[in-house]
Amino acid sequence: MRFPLTLAKISFLIKKYQFSLNLPDGKRQMTEVLIIGGGVIGLSIARQLHKKGVRQITILERGRTGGEASGAAAGMLAAQAETNEADDFFYLCHDSNRLYPNFARELFDETGVDIELETSGTLYLAFTDSDEREIRHRFDWQRAAKLSVEHLSAENVRKLEPFVSPEVREALFFPNDWQVENRKLLAALQKYAALNQIEIIENAAVERLIIKNGKIVGAATANQTYAAETVVLATGAWTSLIKADGFSLPQVKPVRGQMICFQTAKRLFQRVIYSPRGYLVPRLDGRILIGATVEEVGFDKNTTASGTEFLRETALEIAPSLVNLSIADKWAGLRPFAADGLPVLGAFPEIENLFAATAHYRNGILLAPVTAEIMADKIVGKIESKYLKAFGPRRFQTAKAV
Ligand SMILES: Cc1cc2nc3c(=O)[nH]c(=O)nc-3n(C[C@H](O)[C@H](O)[C@H](O)COP(=O)(O)OP(=O)(O)OC[C@H]3O[C@@H](n4cnc5c(N)ncnc54)[C@H](O)[C@@H]3O)c2cc1C
């Protein structure tokens, strides 16, 4: 029996035809989902969309994939060390942390890349009266929220980590704050893309979004137009620079973070160690990363002598025995910061099929798995996570109107 061609079928066939069409004059064939930005957020969303069955995914990256904040980060998964109360943001971080063991396992199975998830916990040290007040406040709200947190005496800190300064007064231990090697995470996500025909186009800086009759239809670089059914802005600190035909994108500004790195032959520390002034992240290969400055200097990614000195002092306060090590490497990256310091996730109500996943500020590595799940569920399944309401791109307007 022959079925008549229904409208839905005709529209499906037109789409199929468009997907395979190479358009002339600088226009490229239509893609199903166009992701702008090849950092950890764009790459993680691409993978999750692919796992949910989307087969036409293109990532446009203005520079090198993973070459911005995601490559500059320290890789801490610090839901408890980085938050100050049990609010939506804390639970978003917490949920993402919980996803990491499976995320790491799956990535290894899919790509053979070990992202070096280390679950040995995090120490948070106090050296001064004000540090002690800070950690006691943190201990109290986390205990009230029924989180795993332990109070340690100075003696017990030094039993765990013998190279920590004898000046330490007390500490908190967060068994569920971990770390990953974020550059390996980026390598795994890139490999997943390569193995699964997710197209990544580097050196392709999107200048403007193309919106027609209230619907996104693509994006344009200086010399190429990319037609797309759906567009995701995963553009980090550069989000506000894209033009959008009179439509305003969320304001996201860059906040520079400088890092330094020591190299040791043998691993000296077993876990991430914070103080209220900075942190030390020991990698498996003997590197010790020290971070990070917090500076509003626009899009300047240079390191500075004063930044380096501050980080060296931070390291020596935590572990004076590092004094004779020379700095093996240093770099800086730009954290994406929205007006309220919180991520911007979800759909733009006035533009059909345009989504944002940006402004992860200090926690984009931690938040990558949960962001990918929330965004893919929304794009593919129209599922509204509770977090989309809390972190939606239009929350700033609503706040103004009230
Ligand atoms: C020093 C430092 C330490 C950090 N440490 C940690 C940590 O320990 N744990 C943690 O969870 N987070 C950490 N962060 C934060 C984390 O790095 C960021 O939140 C995260 O990388 C953001 O990911 P992203 O993909 O949104 O941004 P990015 O990695 O910056 O990626 C955005 C990409 O979009 C591209 N892009 C922008 N505009 C366009 C355009 N118009 N066209 C095409 N491409 C475009 C950019 O080139 C860039 O590659 C740290 C950040 C810094 C700087």
Side-chain angles (χ1 to χ4, degrees), residues 21-22 142 150 197 283 346 362 365:
L21 202 64
N22 267 313
Q142 298 202 355
E150 290 166 35
Q197 288 79 47
R283 295 290 201 227
R362 297 174 64 100
I365 305 299

Side-chain angles (χ1 to χ4, degrees), residues 126-382:
F127 291 98
T128 66
D129 291 349
S130 110
D131 294 357
E132 289 188 309
R133 280 194 296 278
E134 183 175 332
I135 69 168
R136 280 177 195 160
H137 166 72
R138 208 169 278 274
F139 182 80
D140 289 345
W141 79 257
Q142 298 202 355
R143 270 291 166 94
K146 302 203 175 347
L147 302 171
S148 297
V149 52
E150 290 166 35
H151 180 265
L152 298 184
S153 65
E155 196 189 346
N156 284 337
V157 173
R158 283 172 48 83
K159 271 190 199 146
L160 273 183
E161 294 287 357
F163 290 96
V164 160
S165 168
E167 299 295 317
V168 67
R169 293 186 184 180
E170 57 182 305
L172 297 183
F173 177 58
F174 306 114
N176 296 326
D177 274 8
W178 305 326
Q179 66 152 309
V180 288
E181 213 315 3
N182 44 297
R183 293 181 185 172
K184 294 207 169 155
L185 170 60
L186 289 161
L189 291 167
Q190 275 177 265
K191 190 154 178 206
Y192 184 93
L195 291 172
N196 292 288
Q197 288 79 47
I198 294 170
E199 184 183 27
I200 299 180
I201 304 175
E202 295 190 325
N203 302 311
V206 168
E207 294 186 347
R208 110 193 123 80
L209 302 179
I210 309 168
I211 298 165
K212 285 208 173 109
N213 303 324
K215 184 180 185 316
I216 188 90
V217 293
T221 63
N223 47 24
Q224 187 97 62
T225 299
Y226 296 84
E229 292 250 290
T230 295
V231 172
V232 183
L233 294 168
T235 33
W238 294 264
T239 304
S240 317
L241 302 186
I242 298 179
K243 296 189 182 66
D245 293 341
F247 163 80
S248 73
L249 292 175
Q251 289 303 305
V252 179
K253 64 180 179 185
V255 176
R256 182 169 73 187
Q258 299 187 45
M259 305 268 301
I260 61 171
C261 170
F262 299 113
Q263 177 75 58
T264 52
K266 256 191 13 208
R267 202 176 186 200
L268 303 183
F269 304 93
Q270 302 313 313
R271 53 191 53 75
V272 172
I273 305 178
Y274 267 86
S275 85
R277 286 156 289 288
Y279 51 76
L280 172 162
V281 181
R283 295 290 201 227
L284 283 177
D285 61 6
R287 278 178 303 146
I288 304 172
L289 277 51
I290 313 293
T293 62
V294 179
E295 305 164 87
E296 289 195 29
V297 290
F299 289 94
D300 179 353
K301 277 197 311 179
N302 289 308
T303 57
T304 62
S306 58
T308 303
E309 192 42 37
F310 165 76
L311 294 170
R312 230 178 90 80
E313 279 169 15
T314 302
L316 296 185
E317 182 188 39
I318 293 174
S321 53
L322 300 179
V323 66
N324 291 325
L325 291 177
S326 52
I327 294 170
D329 197 2
K330 55 183 173 177
W331 61 87
L334 301 175
R335 307 176 185 93
F337 178 84
D340 56 6
L342 299 172
V344 173
L345 303 176
F348 292 85
E350 63 277 48
I351 307 288
E352 206 180 317
N353 287 357
L354 176 63
F355 299 88
T358 183
H360 291 77
Y361 191 38
R362 297 174 64 100
N363 299 102
I365 305 299
L366 166 61
L367 291 171
V370 82
T371 300
E373 284 206 353
I374 290 173
M375 297 304 298
D377 282 350
K378 171 73 182 162
I379 292 166
V380 177
K382 311 274 178 236

